[in-house]
mmCIF file with all atom_site columns, all heavy atoms in Angstrom:
data_model
loop_
_atom_site.group_PDB
_atom_site.id
_atom_site.type_symbol
_atom_site.label_atom_id
_atom_site.label_alt_id
_atom_site.label_comp_id
_atom_site.label_asym_id
_atom_site.label_entity_id
_atom_site.label_seq_id
_atom_site.pdbx_PDB_ins_code
_atom_site.Cartn_x
_atom_site.Cartn_y
_atom_site.Cartn_z
_atom_site.occupancy
_atom_site.B_iso_or_equiv
_atom_site.pdbx_formal_charge
_atom_site.auth_seq_id
_atom_site.auth_comp_id
_atom_site.auth_asym_id
_atom_site.auth_atom_id
_atom_site.pdbx_PDB_model_num
ATOM 1   N N   . THR C 1 138 ? 42.337 -7.905  25.011 1.00 0.00 ? 138 THR C N   1
ATOM 2   C CA  . THR C 1 138 ? 42.884 -8.915  25.917 1.00 0.00 ? 138 THR C CA  1
ATOM 3   C C   . THR C 1 138 ? 43.820 -8.314  26.961 1.00 0.00 ? 138 THR C C   1
ATOM 4   O O   . THR C 1 138 ? 44.019 -8.914  28.031 1.00 0.00 ? 138 THR C O   1
ATOM 5   C CB  . THR C 1 138 ? 43.627 -9.993  25.117 1.00 0.00 ? 138 THR C CB  1
ATOM 6   O OG1 . THR C 1 138 ? 44.649 -9.378  24.321 1.00 0.00 ? 138 THR C OG1 1
ATOM 7   C CG2 . THR C 1 138 ? 42.664 -10.746 24.207 1.00 0.00 ? 138 THR C CG2 1
ATOM 8   N N   . TYR C 1 140 ? 43.175 -5.984  28.816 1.00 0.00 ? 140 TYR C N   1
ATOM 9   C CA  . TYR C 1 140 ? 42.325 -5.572  29.937 1.00 0.00 ? 140 TYR C CA  1
ATOM 10  C C   . TYR C 1 140 ? 42.493 -6.554  31.111 1.00 0.00 ? 140 TYR C C   1
ATOM 11  O O   . TYR C 1 140 ? 42.145 -6.247  32.241 1.00 0.00 ? 140 TYR C O   1
ATOM 12  C CB  . TYR C 1 140 ? 40.873 -5.570  29.456 1.00 0.00 ? 140 TYR C CB  1
ATOM 13  C CG  . TYR C 1 140 ? 39.852 -4.882  30.339 1.00 0.00 ? 140 TYR C CG  1
ATOM 14  C CD1 . TYR C 1 140 ? 39.684 -3.508  30.297 1.00 0.00 ? 140 TYR C CD1 1
ATOM 15  C CD2 . TYR C 1 140 ? 39.028 -5.625  31.178 1.00 0.00 ? 140 TYR C CD2 1
ATOM 16  C CE1 . TYR C 1 140 ? 38.716 -2.877  31.067 1.00 0.00 ? 140 TYR C CE1 1
ATOM 17  C CE2 . TYR C 1 140 ? 38.051 -5.006  31.954 1.00 0.00 ? 140 TYR C CE2 1
ATOM 18  C CZ  . TYR C 1 140 ? 37.906 -3.634  31.896 1.00 0.00 ? 140 TYR C CZ  1
ATOM 19  O OH  . TYR C 1 140 ? 36.948 -3.019  32.667 1.00 0.00 ? 140 TYR C OH  1
ATOM 20  N N   . PHE C 1 141 ? 43.061 -7.735  30.785 1.00 0.00 ? 141 PHE C N   1
ATOM 21  C CA  . PHE C 1 141 ? 43.172 -8.818  31.768 1.00 0.00 ? 141 PHE C CA  1
ATOM 22  C C   . PHE C 1 141 ? 44.607 -8.953  32.272 1.00 0.00 ? 141 PHE C C   1
ATOM 23  O O   . PHE C 1 141 ? 45.564 -8.453  31.675 1.00 0.00 ? 141 PHE C O   1
ATOM 24  C CB  . PHE C 1 141 ? 42.723 -10.136 31.141 1.00 0.00 ? 141 PHE C CB  1
ATOM 25  C CG  . PHE C 1 141 ? 41.300 -10.131 30.678 1.00 0.00 ? 141 PHE C CG  1
ATOM 26  C CD1 . PHE C 1 141 ? 40.963 -9.782  29.377 1.00 0.00 ? 141 PHE C CD1 1
ATOM 27  C CD2 . PHE C 1 141 ? 40.274 -10.455 31.559 1.00 0.00 ? 141 PHE C CD2 1
ATOM 28  C CE1 . PHE C 1 141 ? 39.647 -9.763  28.955 1.00 0.00 ? 141 PHE C CE1 1
ATOM 29  C CE2 . PHE C 1 141 ? 38.952 -10.437 31.146 1.00 0.00 ? 141 PHE C CE2 1
ATOM 30  C CZ  . PHE C 1 141 ? 38.640 -10.094 29.845 1.00 0.00 ? 141 PHE C CZ  1
ATOM 31  N N   . ASP C 1 142 ? 44.742 -9.675  33.363 1.00 0.00 ? 142 ASP C N   1
ATOM 32  C CA  . ASP C 1 142 ? 46.057 -10.013 33.885 1.00 0.00 ? 142 ASP C CA  1
ATOM 33  C C   . ASP C 1 142 ? 46.805 -10.865 32.866 1.00 0.00 ? 142 ASP C C   1
ATOM 34  O O   . ASP C 1 142 ? 46.191 -11.513 32.007 1.00 0.00 ? 142 ASP C O   1
ATOM 35  C CB  . ASP C 1 142 ? 45.921 -10.751 35.210 1.00 0.00 ? 142 ASP C CB  1
ATOM 36  C CG  . ASP C 1 142 ? 45.137 -12.042 35.064 1.00 0.00 ? 142 ASP C CG  1
ATOM 37  O OD1 . ASP C 1 142 ? 45.752 -13.084 34.774 1.00 0.00 ? 142 ASP C OD1 1
ATOM 38  O OD2 . ASP C 1 142 ? 43.893 -11.997 35.198 1.00 0.00 ? 142 ASP C OD2 1
ATOM 39  N N   . PRO C 1 143 ? 48.144 -10.894 32.931 1.00 0.00 ? 143 PRO C N   1
ATOM 40  C CA  . PRO C 1 143 ? 48.926 -11.583 31.886 1.00 0.00 ? 143 PRO C CA  1
ATOM 41  C C   . PRO C 1 143 ? 48.548 -13.046 31.677 1.00 0.00 ? 143 PRO C C   1
ATOM 42  O O   . PRO C 1 143 ? 48.488 -13.521 30.539 1.00 0.00 ? 143 PRO C O   1
ATOM 43  C CB  . PRO C 1 143 ? 50.362 -11.452 32.398 1.00 0.00 ? 143 PRO C CB  1
ATOM 44  C CG  . PRO C 1 143 ? 50.350 -10.183 33.195 1.00 0.00 ? 143 PRO C CG  1
ATOM 45  C CD  . PRO C 1 143 ? 49.008 -10.151 33.866 1.00 0.00 ? 143 PRO C CD  1
ATOM 46  N N   . ALA C 1 144 ? 48.269 -13.767 32.754 1.00 0.00 ? 144 ALA C N   1
ATOM 47  C CA  . ALA C 1 144 ? 47.948 -15.195 32.594 1.00 0.00 ? 144 ALA C CA  1
ATOM 48  C C   . ALA C 1 144 ? 46.636 -15.387 31.850 1.00 0.00 ? 144 ALA C C   1
ATOM 49  O O   . ALA C 1 144 ? 46.536 -16.226 30.937 1.00 0.00 ? 144 ALA C O   1
ATOM 50  C CB  . ALA C 1 144 ? 47.885 -15.864 33.972 1.00 0.00 ? 144 ALA C CB  1
ATOM 51  N N   . THR C 1 145 ? 45.611 -14.605 32.218 1.00 0.00 ? 145 THR C N   1
ATOM 52  C CA  . THR C 1 145 ? 44.318 -14.714 31.536 1.00 0.00 ? 145 THR C CA  1
ATOM 53  C C   . THR C 1 145 ? 44.439 -14.248 30.095 1.00 0.00 ? 145 THR C C   1
ATOM 54  O O   . THR C 1 145 ? 43.862 -14.863 29.180 1.00 0.00 ? 145 THR C O   1
ATOM 55  C CB  . THR C 1 145 ? 43.253 -13.886 32.281 1.00 0.00 ? 145 THR C CB  1
ATOM 56  O OG1 . THR C 1 145 ? 43.188 -14.333 33.641 1.00 0.00 ? 145 THR C OG1 1
ATOM 57  C CG2 . THR C 1 145 ? 41.897 -14.033 31.625 1.00 0.00 ? 145 THR C CG2 1
ATOM 58  N N   . LYS C 1 146 ? 45.168 -13.175 29.876 1.00 0.00 ? 146 LYS C N   1
ATOM 59  C CA  . LYS C 1 146 ? 45.399 -12.667 28.514 1.00 0.00 ? 146 LYS C CA  1
ATOM 60  C C   . LYS C 1 146 ? 46.016 -13.757 27.642 1.00 0.00 ? 146 LYS C C   1
ATOM 61  O O   . LYS C 1 146 ? 45.566 -13.995 26.505 1.00 0.00 ? 146 LYS C O   1
ATOM 62  C CB  . LYS C 1 146 ? 46.323 -11.446 28.574 1.00 0.00 ? 146 LYS C CB  1
ATOM 63  C CG  . LYS C 1 146 ? 46.751 -10.891 27.226 1.00 0.00 ? 146 LYS C CG  1
ATOM 64  C CD  . LYS C 1 146 ? 47.656 -9.669  27.436 1.00 0.00 ? 146 LYS C CD  1
ATOM 65  C CE  . LYS C 1 146 ? 48.076 -9.035  26.117 1.00 0.00 ? 146 LYS C CE  1
ATOM 66  N NZ  . LYS C 1 146 ? 48.990 -9.903  25.340 1.00 0.00 ? 146 LYS C NZ  1
ATOM 67  N N   . THR C 1 147 ? 47.019 -14.435 28.156 1.00 0.00 ? 147 THR C N   1
ATOM 68  C CA  . THR C 1 147 ? 47.693 -15.487 27.386 1.00 0.00 ? 147 THR C CA  1
ATOM 69  C C   . THR C 1 147 ? 46.737 -16.627 27.059 1.00 0.00 ? 147 THR C C   1
ATOM 70  O O   . THR C 1 147 ? 46.713 -17.145 25.929 1.00 0.00 ? 147 THR C O   1
ATOM 71  C CB  . THR C 1 147 ? 48.900 -16.017 28.169 1.00 0.00 ? 147 THR C CB  1
ATOM 72  O OG1 . THR C 1 147 ? 49.832 -14.943 28.381 1.00 0.00 ? 147 THR C OG1 1
ATOM 73  C CG2 . THR C 1 147 ? 49.588 -17.143 27.415 1.00 0.00 ? 147 THR C CG2 1
ATOM 74  N N   . ARG C 1 148 ? 45.914 -17.026 28.033 1.00 0.00 ? 148 ARG C N   1
ATOM 75  C CA  . ARG C 1 148 ? 44.966 -18.121 27.799 1.00 0.00 ? 148 ARG C CA  1
ATOM 76  C C   . ARG C 1 148 ? 43.933 -17.749 26.731 1.00 0.00 ? 148 ARG C C   1
ATOM 77  O O   . ARG C 1 148 ? 43.617 -18.559 25.850 1.00 0.00 ? 148 ARG C O   1
ATOM 78  C CB  . ARG C 1 148 ? 44.253 -18.474 29.112 1.00 0.00 ? 148 ARG C CB  1
ATOM 79  C CG  . ARG C 1 148 ? 45.127 -19.169 30.125 1.00 0.00 ? 148 ARG C CG  1
ATOM 80  C CD  . ARG C 1 148 ? 44.360 -19.424 31.415 1.00 0.00 ? 148 ARG C CD  1
ATOM 81  N NE  . ARG C 1 148 ? 43.293 -20.406 31.230 1.00 0.00 ? 148 ARG C NE  1
ATOM 82  C CZ  . ARG C 1 148 ? 42.391 -20.690 32.168 1.00 0.00 ? 148 ARG C CZ  1
ATOM 83  N NH1 . ARG C 1 148 ? 42.412 -20.035 33.330 1.00 0.00 ? 148 ARG C NH1 1
ATOM 84  N NH2 . ARG C 1 148 ? 41.462 -21.606 31.939 1.00 0.00 ? 148 ARG C NH2 1
ATOM 85  N N   . ILE C 1 149 ? 43.420 -16.525 26.807 1.00 0.00 ? 149 ILE C N   1
ATOM 86  C CA  . ILE C 1 149 ? 42.419 -16.087 25.823 1.00 0.00 ? 149 ILE C CA  1
ATOM 87  C C   . ILE C 1 149 ? 43.027 -16.048 24.426 1.00 0.00 ? 149 ILE C C   1
ATOM 88  O O   . ILE C 1 149 ? 42.438 -16.556 23.458 1.00 0.00 ? 149 ILE C O   1
ATOM 89  C CB  . ILE C 1 149 ? 41.853 -14.707 26.207 1.00 0.00 ? 149 ILE C CB  1
ATOM 90  C CG1 . ILE C 1 149 ? 40.996 -14.822 27.476 1.00 0.00 ? 149 ILE C CG1 1
ATOM 91  C CG2 . ILE C 1 149 ? 41.026 -14.131 25.065 1.00 0.00 ? 149 ILE C CG2 1
ATOM 92  C CD1 . ILE C 1 149 ? 40.547 -13.474 28.028 1.00 0.00 ? 149 ILE C CD1 1
ATOM 93  N N   . GLU C 1 150 ? 44.202 -15.455 24.293 1.00 0.00 ? 150 GLU C N   1
ATOM 94  C CA  . GLU C 1 150 ? 44.821 -15.313 22.980 1.00 0.00 ? 150 GLU C CA  1
ATOM 95  C C   . GLU C 1 150 ? 45.190 -16.672 22.387 1.00 0.00 ? 150 GLU C C   1
ATOM 96  O O   . GLU C 1 150 ? 45.057 -16.887 21.178 1.00 0.00 ? 150 GLU C O   1
ATOM 97  C CB  . GLU C 1 150 ? 46.044 -14.407 23.086 1.00 0.00 ? 150 GLU C CB  1
ATOM 98  C CG  . GLU C 1 150 ? 45.671 -12.944 23.354 1.00 0.00 ? 150 GLU C CG  1
ATOM 99  C CD  . GLU C 1 150 ? 46.877 -12.040 23.474 1.00 0.00 ? 150 GLU C CD  1
ATOM 100 O OE1 . GLU C 1 150 ? 48.018 -12.564 23.563 1.00 0.00 ? 150 GLU C OE1 1
ATOM 101 O OE2 . GLU C 1 150 ? 46.689 -10.800 23.500 1.00 0.00 ? 150 GLU C OE2 1
ATOM 102 N N   . ALA C 1 151 ? 45.621 -17.587 23.229 1.00 0.00 ? 151 ALA C N   1
ATOM 103 C CA  . ALA C 1 151 ? 45.956 -18.931 22.733 1.00 0.00 ? 151 ALA C CA  1
ATOM 104 C C   . ALA C 1 151 ? 44.707 -19.656 22.235 1.00 0.00 ? 151 ALA C C   1
ATOM 105 O O   . ALA C 1 151 ? 44.761 -20.400 21.243 1.00 0.00 ? 151 ALA C O   1
ATOM 106 C CB  . ALA C 1 151 ? 46.626 -19.734 23.849 1.00 0.00 ? 151 ALA C CB  1
ATOM 107 N N   . LEU C 1 152 ? 43.591 -19.429 22.919 1.00 0.00 ? 152 LEU C N   1
ATOM 108 C CA  . LEU C 1 152 ? 42.339 -20.072 22.505 1.00 0.00 ? 152 LEU C CA  1
ATOM 109 C C   . LEU C 1 152 ? 41.832 -19.486 21.191 1.00 0.00 ? 152 LEU C C   1
ATOM 110 O O   . LEU C 1 152 ? 41.296 -20.204 20.336 1.00 0.00 ? 152 LEU C O   1
ATOM 111 C CB  . LEU C 1 152 ? 41.294 -19.897 23.608 1.00 0.00 ? 152 LEU C CB  1
ATOM 112 C CG  . LEU C 1 152 ? 39.993 -20.678 23.468 1.00 0.00 ? 152 LEU C CG  1
ATOM 113 C CD1 . LEU C 1 152 ? 40.253 -22.179 23.403 1.00 0.00 ? 152 LEU C CD1 1
ATOM 114 C CD2 . LEU C 1 152 ? 39.052 -20.361 24.622 1.00 0.00 ? 152 LEU C CD2 1
ATOM 115 N N   . LEU C 1 204 ? 37.905 -22.158 31.131 1.00 0.00 ? 204 LEU C N   1
ATOM 116 C CA  . LEU C 1 204 ? 38.085 -20.713 30.942 1.00 0.00 ? 204 LEU C CA  1
ATOM 117 C C   . LEU C 1 204 ? 36.739 -20.016 30.874 1.00 0.00 ? 204 LEU C C   1
ATOM 118 O O   . LEU C 1 204 ? 36.559 -18.923 31.447 1.00 0.00 ? 204 LEU C O   1
ATOM 119 C CB  . LEU C 1 204 ? 38.891 -20.449 29.667 1.00 0.00 ? 204 LEU C CB  1
ATOM 120 C CG  . LEU C 1 204 ? 39.121 -18.971 29.324 1.00 0.00 ? 204 LEU C CG  1
ATOM 121 C CD1 . LEU C 1 204 ? 39.898 -18.264 30.426 1.00 0.00 ? 204 LEU C CD1 1
ATOM 122 C CD2 . LEU C 1 204 ? 39.842 -18.826 27.980 1.00 0.00 ? 204 LEU C CD2 1
ATOM 123 N N   . GLU C 1 207 ? 35.458 -19.652 34.389 1.00 0.00 ? 207 GLU C N   1
ATOM 124 C CA  . GLU C 1 207 ? 36.238 -18.684 35.165 1.00 0.00 ? 207 GLU C CA  1
ATOM 125 C C   . GLU C 1 207 ? 35.912 -17.250 34.756 1.00 0.00 ? 207 GLU C C   1
ATOM 126 O O   . GLU C 1 207 ? 35.734 -16.376 35.606 1.00 0.00 ? 207 GLU C O   1
ATOM 127 C CB  . GLU C 1 207 ? 37.730 -18.957 34.981 1.00 0.00 ? 207 GLU C CB  1
ATOM 128 C CG  . GLU C 1 207 ? 38.202 -20.226 35.661 1.00 0.00 ? 207 GLU C CG  1
ATOM 129 C CD  . GLU C 1 207 ? 39.648 -20.562 35.333 1.00 0.00 ? 207 GLU C CD  1
ATOM 130 O OE1 . GLU C 1 207 ? 40.423 -19.620 35.062 1.00 0.00 ? 207 GLU C OE1 1
ATOM 131 O OE2 . GLU C 1 207 ? 39.990 -21.760 35.335 1.00 0.00 ? 207 GLU C OE2 1
ATOM 132 N N   . LEU C 1 208 ? 35.838 -16.996 33.442 1.00 0.00 ? 208 LEU C N   1
ATOM 133 C CA  . LEU C 1 208 ? 35.513 -15.642 32.975 1.00 0.00 ? 208 LEU C CA  1
ATOM 134 C C   . LEU C 1 208 ? 34.111 -15.242 33.403 1.00 0.00 ? 208 LEU C C   1
ATOM 135 O O   . LEU C 1 208 ? 33.882 -14.113 33.855 1.00 0.00 ? 208 LEU C O   1
ATOM 136 C CB  . LEU C 1 208 ? 35.649 -15.576 31.450 1.00 0.00 ? 208 LEU C CB  1
ATOM 137 C CG  . LEU C 1 208 ? 37.067 -15.623 30.883 1.00 0.00 ? 208 LEU C CG  1
ATOM 138 C CD1 . LEU C 1 208 ? 37.022 -15.748 29.355 1.00 0.00 ? 208 LEU C CD1 1
ATOM 139 C CD2 . LEU C 1 208 ? 37.857 -14.374 31.284 1.00 0.00 ? 208 LEU C CD2 1
ATOM 140 N N   . PHE C 1 213 ? 32.976 -11.583 33.581 1.00 0.00 ? 213 PHE C N   1
ATOM 141 C CA  . PHE C 1 213 ? 33.356 -11.301 32.196 1.00 0.00 ? 213 PHE C CA  1
ATOM 142 C C   . PHE C 1 213 ? 32.571 -12.195 31.230 1.00 0.00 ? 213 PHE C C   1
ATOM 143 O O   . PHE C 1 213 ? 33.151 -12.883 30.388 1.00 0.00 ? 213 PHE C O   1
ATOM 144 C CB  . PHE C 1 213 ? 34.853 -11.511 32.002 1.00 0.00 ? 213 PHE C CB  1
ATOM 145 C CG  . PHE C 1 213 ? 35.708 -10.539 32.758 1.00 0.00 ? 213 PHE C CG  1
ATOM 146 C CD1 . PHE C 1 213 ? 36.413 -10.936 33.880 1.00 0.00 ? 213 PHE C CD1 1
ATOM 147 C CD2 . PHE C 1 213 ? 35.801 -9.217  32.352 1.00 0.00 ? 213 PHE C CD2 1
ATOM 148 C CE1 . PHE C 1 213 ? 37.200 -10.048 34.579 1.00 0.00 ? 213 PHE C CE1 1
ATOM 149 C CE2 . PHE C 1 213 ? 36.596 -8.314  33.047 1.00 0.00 ? 213 PHE C CE2 1
ATOM 150 C CZ  . PHE C 1 213 ? 37.295 -8.731  34.169 1.00 0.00 ? 213 PHE C CZ  1
ATOM 151 N N   . ALA C 1 216 ? 33.353 -11.429 27.602 1.00 0.00 ? 216 ALA C N   1
ATOM 152 C CA  . ALA C 1 216 ? 34.639 -11.993 27.197 1.00 0.00 ? 216 ALA C CA  1
ATOM 153 C C   . ALA C 1 216 ? 34.533 -13.498 26.971 1.00 0.00 ? 216 ALA C C   1
ATOM 154 O O   . ALA C 1 216 ? 35.114 -14.041 26.025 1.00 0.00 ? 216 ALA C O   1
ATOM 155 C CB  . ALA C 1 216 ? 35.696 -11.692 28.258 1.00 0.00 ? 216 ALA C CB  1
ATOM 156 N N   . ALA C 1 220 ? 35.607 -15.228 23.544 1.00 0.00 ? 220 ALA C N   1
ATOM 157 C CA  . ALA C 1 220 ? 36.823 -16.035 23.513 1.00 0.00 ? 220 ALA C CA  1
ATOM 158 C C   . ALA C 1 220 ? 36.569 -17.511 23.262 1.00 0.00 ? 220 ALA C C   1
ATOM 159 O O   . ALA C 1 220 ? 37.369 -18.180 22.593 1.00 0.00 ? 220 ALA C O   1
ATOM 160 C CB  . ALA C 1 220 ? 37.575 -15.874 24.836 1.00 0.00 ? 220 ALA C CB  1
ATOM 161 N N   . THR C 1 503 ? 41.581 -6.417  35.218 1.00 0.00 ? 503 THR C N   1
ATOM 162 C CA  . THR C 1 503 ? 42.452 -7.181  36.115 1.00 0.00 ? 503 THR C CA  1
ATOM 163 C C   . THR C 1 503 ? 43.927 -6.981  35.767 1.00 0.00 ? 503 THR C C   1
ATOM 164 O O   . THR C 1 503 ? 44.794 -7.610  36.385 1.00 0.00 ? 503 THR C O   1
ATOM 165 C CB  . THR C 1 503 ? 42.106 -8.679  36.063 1.00 0.00 ? 503 THR C CB  1
ATOM 166 O OG1 . THR C 1 503 ? 42.278 -9.167  34.721 1.00 0.00 ? 503 THR C OG1 1
ATOM 167 C CG2 . THR C 1 503 ? 40.682 -8.919  36.526 1.00 0.00 ? 503 THR C CG2 1
#
Side-chain angles (χ1 to χ4, degrees):
T138 57
Y140 194 82
F141 299 92
D142 60 89
T145 303
K146 175 179 182 292
T147 299
R148 289 177 68 188
I149 291 172
E150 290 179 349
L152 189 59
L204 178 61
E207 289 173 28
L208 289 172
F213 294 107
T503 60

